[in-house]
Amino acid sequence: MALPNPALSQLPDNYKYGWHDPEMKPLHLMKKGLSTAVVEEISRIKGEPKWMTDLRLKAFRHFEARPMPTWGGDLTQIDFQDIYYYVTATDRAAQSWDDVPDYIRRTYDRLGIPEAEKKYLAGVGGQYDSEVVYHNIHADLEKKGVIFLGTDEALQRYPEMFREYYGTVIPANDNKLAALNTAVWSGGSFIYVPKGVHVDLPLQAYFRINTESMGQFERTLIIADEGSSVHYVEGCTAPTYSTASLHSAVVEIIVKKGARVRYTTIQNWSHNVYNLVTKRAVAYEDAVMEWVDGNLGSHLTMKYPSIYLLGERAHGEVLSIAFAGEGQHQDAGGKVIHAAPNTTSLITSKSISKGTGRTSYRGLIKVYPGCKHSKSTVRCDALILSDEARSDTYPYMEIDEEDVTIGHEATVSKVGAEQLFYLMSRGLTEAEASAMIVNGFIEPIVKELPMEYAVEMNRLIQLQMEGAVG
Amino acid sequence: MTDELVVSGLEVSIGTKKILRGVDLAVKQGEVHALMGPNGSGKTSLAYTLMGHPDYRVDAGSITWKGENLLGLAPDKRARLGVFLAFQYPSAIPGVTVASFLRNIYNAVHAPKPAPGGGENGQVPKYTGIPLAKFRRMLEEQMALLKMDPGFAARYVNDGFSGGEKKRLEMLQMAILGPRLAILDETDSGLDIDALRTVAEGINATLSPQMGVLLITHYQRMLNYVKPHFVHVLMGGRIVMSGGEELSHQLEANGYEWVREQVGEPEGVADEAPEPVAEHA
């Protein structure tokens, strides 16, 4: 599948993660294209129970029946028959990096994952193309009953719990891309945190695409039982190819009474990846759900992390950062549905567009009748770095209860010539000056991140800002 | 050789509008030059041109600093050569703390990043700049000198600052960067008498025999604190009168009308923002 913008592969690329591993000899490389047979074959290779095979097939029918979305970004160039749906390098997830094939280990070393694991993570998962190649969690958390596994392994080892929650937050027919994921899903993380257990350090998963024209369809399911807490972080990168890849994940989160989940994404796909992801959480009484969603990479991202506030006093937050450089479109935002009284929510979006980049904020606040004393604040700020860059805001509000407090603020600003001159007169290059303005712009969100991720976010912004400005 | 700024025959325009019409000026290290003149005479335009603002087009003449041609150099390169401009209206940079900003600009001028691609196997040695502890000490000393509250360092650059705070931050930047040529553009404007004294003390504390200063001001009052060696009057895009410190007192006493009487109205030029004249259009 060729990229819609032929100029894209010729752009000066500051992307630092664009290598691929030519040594990879796939264990399974299903031929390109999508069919009932492909769906069945994926399920067969994985040795799944019949209910999952049936659900996959049902989802595939939904996928086929539904039209492509015509809103958001341009999806017309995606050719579902020109994608690999299942490519694996290994047949199992290693628990030690020593047991991961050398070339994959080298790639993860270059990404700094094993080092981060030693320093500040409670557990790490690594997915390479379709399957999880590494998975490990601190022994003390395992003793407390915390489950952190690749999703396929979780289905095998905890079939009942899996079936109880799987697909309950995002059903197979939710939308065309979620249906596709349900049909061909592979990999992802499964987390269960028992009642009252607090996972103090983050759990991290790192998603890596290696094969050209790859489709990665991980499926993540997180269950935080009553009064527990967990912070999950995902990162993702891919090689730069002149053909398009597709990443279409589904993430379901259940935050039970009094529990707290934070889900942080630092999405840095190469600029030939379509990133079309459905993420949704349900939060019960007194629960807190936070999405921290950083989108820096990809050709087109369409992603709107959602929170259904189902219990009284539940609180939901979405912090969204989007950076669209040359040829990129970040269509991001968040949705919060208030379905119980005294629920509160906050959506903060900061978007930056540079060169011909385009950012769109797309969000929804919905309050059902009877959800009295609910409060919601939406704040979206856009920063535009060039004359060709574009930013749009699509804030939807459906408020069916009178007794609520809803606030919405939006600003658009452009980096001014005077601001740049001021900073350059202090010895900063034009790129450094722009990067400083951008870093200041996203500071209110970055300061919410754990230190390591804040540093990473600033570094990625710096990389995006290098080279020609405006 | 002493460090010297030499401006000769400088003509500058914005768009089709001629602003400077042949400025000649030399500032040696250790000298304080006051540049005075009525509104619209081109004082800020001269400051911006010296710093390399892209909107100011140099039509004729030259600017050299330490014998090096500054024309064609971007503002950041000029800064790294030791040139500093204190702005009359500094920009706000929301989200960037004063401390982080100052450390960044200190590094940009005194410890710039090595060019990429150097080193073995393309590996660039890890860049750190000035050690944090050393920088903090320097910052604390300079802030004390300017009578600044330590909490100031945690605020966002010029974001919601009062006029006096902005000017003080300009002086703090100058003290941190330690330039060899400082252009102070109406640093006294918008200050009450106490703030003026503090800022002037800050300037005096930064002054050194190695540093040249071009102090642009509308009024004489700043010069009561910072004593100039030379005073120039800019009018209609030209320096029409130069003298010693006494010239500033004469101006204070007699006003710019007196200058016009002395030198005659520059041809075709009013003192308020001159319209482009035919030969330059």
Side-chain angles (χ1 to χ4, degrees):
Chain A
M1 166 164 76
L3 280 171
N5 177 0
L8 204 59
S9 52
Q10 297 157 20
L11 288 169
D13 201 347
N14 294 307
Y15 190 65
K16 297 281 200 270
Y17 311 94
W19 75 85
H20 72 281
D21 304 328
E23 308 93 316
M24 182 197 177
K25 299 277 179 291
L27 208 61
H28 292 284
L29 175 78
M30 214 172 278
K31 68 176 173 49
K32 279 183 183 173
L34 186 57
S35 63
T36 305
V38 164
V39 174
E40 283 172 335
E41 177 68 1
I42 291 171
S43 190
R44 191 194 61 78
I45 292 169
K46 291 174 179 293
E48 289 178 341
K50 185 170 180 306
W51 72 266
M52 183 57 81
T53 314
D54 292 345
L55 183 55
R56 284 178 181 273
L57 290 168
K58 184 177 140 200
F60 182 58
R61 289 192 292 276
H62 285 305
F63 167 75
E64 287 197 307
R66 291 182 82 122
M68 273 300 256
T70 51
W71 51 274
D74 178 8
L75 300 174
T76 57
Q77 300 299 312
I78 296 179
D79 179 356
F80 288 106
Q81 296 308 328
D82 198 19
I83 287 171
Y84 290 109
Y85 284 84
Y86 189 67
V87 181
T88 64
T90 65
D91 59 352
R92 65 191 180 88
Q95 274 191 295
S96 156
W97 286 107
D98 293 338
D99 298 333
V100 173
D102 284 347
Y103 66 91
I104 297 181
R105 167 73 201 257
R106 275 198 300 276
T107 272
Y108 276 91
D109 277 340
R110 284 173 81 175
L111 296 167
I113 308 301
E115 199 191 337
E117 180 178 14
K118 273 184 235 154
K119 280 191 196 154
Y120 56 85
L121 296 170
V124 164
Q127 178 159 345
Y128 192 85
D129 285 345
S130 295
E131 290 287 0
V132 174
V133 294
Y134 174 84
H135 229 283
N136 199 17
I137 182 171
H138 278 188
D140 60 322
L141 287 174
E142 211 167 7
K143 271 189 217 126
K144 287 181 186 166
V146 177
I147 301 169
F148 180 47
L149 288 172
T151 307
D152 291 280
E153 196 177 342
L155 172 60
Q156 302 296 339
R157 285 176 53 183
Y158 302 95
E160 281 161 27
M161 191 200 294
F162 194 99
R163 195 170 179 177
E164 185 184 344
Y165 295 106
Y166 181 90
T168 57
V169 183
I170 301 172
N173 62 352
D174 188 79
N175 66 73
K176 187 175 178 77
L177 277 305
L180 176 64
N181 175 283
T182 307
V184 299
W185 75 269
S186 184
S189 297
F190 178 91
I191 298 171
Y192 171 76
V193 187
K195 275 185 191 173
V197 172
H198 299 283
V199 182
D200 295 325
L201 294 171
L203 300 171
Q204 179 172 300
Y206 202 94
F207 296 89
R208 176 78 183 168
I209 290 177
N210 186 61
T211 301
E212 185 165 8
S213 301
M214 180 69 210
Q216 193 174 59
F217 304 97
E218 89 269 11
R219 181 92 188 192
T220 288
L221 179 54
I222 298 173
I223 303 131
D225 216 325
E226 292 180 8
S228 70
S229 69
V230 64
H231 181 191
Y232 175 80
V233 184
E234 62 174 1
C236 32
T237 57
T240 301
Y241 290 118
S242 56
T243 60
S245 299
L246 173 61
H247 173 255
S248 191
V250 165
V251 175
E252 298 178 279
I253 301 180
I254 294 119
V255 195
K256 295 201 174 175
K257 184 177 169 182
R260 187 178 190 110
V261 173
R262 173 177 274 200
Y263 190 111
T264 298
T265 303
I266 298 181
Q267 180 271 108
N268 192 24
W269 294 116
S270 51
H271 295 191
N272 55 306
V273 175
Y274 282 89
N275 185 43
L276 310 171
V277 173
T278 309
K279 289 182 165 167
R280 193 175 300 158
V282 291
Y284 292 94
E285 209 175 311
D286 296 306
V288 176
M289 174 66 211
E290 297 167 297
W291 295 102
V292 180
D293 197 37
N295 291 297
L296 296 121
S298 83
H299 172 61
L300 165 67
T301 284
M302 286 173 68
K303 177 167 33 130
Y304 324 96
S306 310
I307 305 165
Y308 282 68
L309 301 170
L310 301 183
E312 277 209 56
R313 294 172 304 278
H315 177 71
E317 280 191 34
V318 182
L319 301 179
S320 176
I321 304 174
F323 192 118
E326 201 63 54
Q328 290 183 283
H329 183 184
Q330 307 284 10
D331 200 288
K335 302 183 199 176
V336 181
I337 287 81
H338 292 255
N342 298 303
T343 48
T344 51
S345 66
L346 173 65
I347 298 180
T348 310
S349 162
K350 293 261 180 183
S351 73
I352 300 133
S353 38
K354 175 191 161 199
T356 57
R358 178 177 173 195
T359 57
S360 316
Y361 167 79
R362 197 178 295 277
L364 169 71
I365 296 292
K366 185 173 174 67
V367 181
Y368 279 101
C371 299
K372 290 185 187 302
H373 313 300
S374 290
K375 279 185 197 156
S376 178
T377 302
V378 177
R379 175 163 185 103
C380 25
D381 299 318
L383 183 66
I384 295 175
L385 301 184
S386 73
D387 291 334
E388 302 81 41
R390 173 174 168 188
S391 175
D392 302 285
T393 305
Y394 307 95
Y396 297 92
M397 301 261 173
E398 297 171 16
I399 316 296
D400 296 318
E401 167 60 45
E402 299 263 318
D403 187 8
V404 294
T405 312
I406 309 289
H408 175 82
E409 278 180 77
T411 66
V412 180
S413 48
K414 207 173 160 181
V415 170
E418 295 314 311
Q419 238 179 342
L420 280 179
F421 175 59
Y422 183 60
L423 294 180
M424 288 178 75
S425 79
R426 301 303 186 243
L428 302 173
T429 63
E430 189 172 353
E432 287 167 346
S434 304
M436 180 179 276
I437 294 166
V438 168
N439 279 329
F441 176 73
I442 62 168
E443 164 69 15
I445 286 188
V446 169
K447 75 178 179 201
E448 293 294 314
L449 300 177
M451 207 256 288
E452 291 81 5
Y453 299 102
V455 169
E456 173 73 357
M457 188 69 86
N458 282 328
R459 202 177 60 82
L460 291 173
I461 295 278
Q462 196 81 35
L463 280 174
Q464 288 263 32
M465 294 305 300
E466 276 173 18
V469 169
Chain B
M1 198 183 108
T2 57
D3 295 347
E4 188 176 13
L5 171 78
V6 180
V7 178
S8 68
L10 187 68
E11 293 180 29
V12 171
S13 40
I14 300 184
T16 56
K17 192 174 186 173
K18 198 80 171 175
I19 309 283
L20 300 181
R21 302 162 178 275
V23 172
D24 297 293
L25 180 69
V27 180
K28 287 194 178 70
Q29 65 180 47
E31 293 178 351
V32 176
H33 290 244
L35 183 71
M36 304 181 75
N39 281 333
S41 58
K43 301 188 299 293
T44 293
S45 296
L46 177 61
Y48 274 25
T49 306
L50 292 174
M51 202 67 233
H53 193 296
D55 288 353
Y56 291 75
R57 194 182 68 238
V58 174
D59 300 321
S62 67
I63 304 172
T64 62
W65 163 241
K66 297 201 248 185
E68 188 168 347
N69 181 14
L70 284 190
L71 297 180
L73 291 186
D76 56 311
K77 295 224 169 64
R78 299 183 195 204
R80 287 197 286 273
L81 291 172
V83 182
F84 178 84
L85 169 62
F87 283 62
Q88 187 181 0
Y89 302 110
S91 296
I93 316 291
V96 177
T97 63
V98 166
S100 151
F101 171 71
L102 291 172
R103 185 159 180 251
N104 268 285
I105 67 174
Y106 178 87
N107 284 334
V109 168
H110 295 291
K113 273 185 193 172
E120 282 173 45
N121 310 321
Q123 293 288 306
V124 181
K126 193 170 164 56
Y127 174 79
T128 50
I130 183 175
L132 195 55
K134 187 177 167 195
F135 176 76
R136 279 208 184 120
R137 277 197 302 278
M138 179 165 79
L139 182 59
E140 279 164 18
E141 279 170 26
Q142 298 297 348
M143 284 179 68
L145 221 50
L146 279 164
K147 300 192 174 110
M148 293 167 103
D149 185 272
F152 195 79
R155 291 174 66 189
Y156 294 152
V157 176
N158 291 320
D159 194 19
F161 279 25
S162 70
E165 287 171 333
K166 284 182 183 172
K167 295 297 165 71
R168 239 178 270 197
L169 179 56
E170 293 296 289
M171 292 307 100
L172 181 60
Q173 292 176 55
M174 181 168 80
I176 294 285
L177 293 178
R180 289 306 178 91
L181 174 66
I183 305 150
L184 310 180
D185 188 9
E186 308 229 2
T187 296
D188 53 346
S189 70
L191 298 183
D192 64 33
I193 196 70
D194 292 331
L196 178 70
R197 191 180 295 119
T198 311
V199 166
E201 281 166 6
I203 297 173
N204 284 328
T206 310
L207 282 181
S208 76
Q210 280 76 43
M211 189 170 148
V213 176
L214 182 61
L215 199 160
I216 296 171
T217 182
H218 199 70
Y219 303 105
Q220 199 269 337
R221 59 179 200 165
M222 181 67 142
L223 306 179
N224 293 333
Y225 300 98
V226 183
K227 295 290 177 194
H229 302 100
F230 302 94
V231 175
H232 310 277
V233 180
L234 188 68
M235 203 178 263
R238 283 192 195 96
I239 290 179
V240 294
M241 198 181 267
S242 294
E245 196 198 337
E246 74 290 345
L247 179 53
S248 69
H249 298 293
Q250 284 171 303
L251 284 171
E252 184 76 359
N254 305 319
Y256 291 110
E257 207 47 51
W258 168 77
V259 179
R260 287 196 190 88
E261 283 163 17
Q262 298 290 306
V263 300
E265 182 78 12
E267 265 176 65
V269 178
D271 65 353
E272 289 298 325
E275 288 302 309
V277 286
E279 72 251 41
H280 297 295

